[in-house]
Amino acid sequence: MIEKTTTIGELLKIAPEKASILLEAGMHCLGCPSAQGETIEEACDVHGIDVDELLAKINS
């Protein structure tokens, strides 16, 4: 299960197929070195995305 504290890099390593969900949400810098170390929650804060809604989609 992916959590708020999971980093973007970890998510893409564990479940690369979930990248499309992040892209659809407006996170277009998945390959950026700084994004790789950001948590899902931090990335959502930066992009103005509801973290709980995003996690629900990722974990469905």
Side-chain angles (χ1 to χ4, degrees), residues 37-51:
E38 275 186 328
T39 65
I40 302 279
E41 186 170 39
E42 291 168 338
C44 284
D45 285 344
V46 168
H47 292 281
I49 298 167
D50 184 295
V51 68

Side-chain angles (χ1 to χ4, degrees), residues 27-43:
M27 294 182 188
H28 298 285
C29 55
L30 300 179
C32 173
S34 62
Q36 295 295 305
E38 275 186 328
T39 65
I40 302 279
E41 186 170 39
E42 291 168 338

Side-chain angles (χ1 to χ4, degrees), residues 10-34:
E10 290 170 335
L11 170 62
L12 295 176
K13 187 175 183 179
I14 296 167
E17 70 279 4
K18 302 293 184 175
S20 62
I21 295 171
L22 299 179
L23 292 170
E24 288 171 12
M27 294 182 188
H28 298 285
C29 55
L30 300 179
C32 173
S34 62

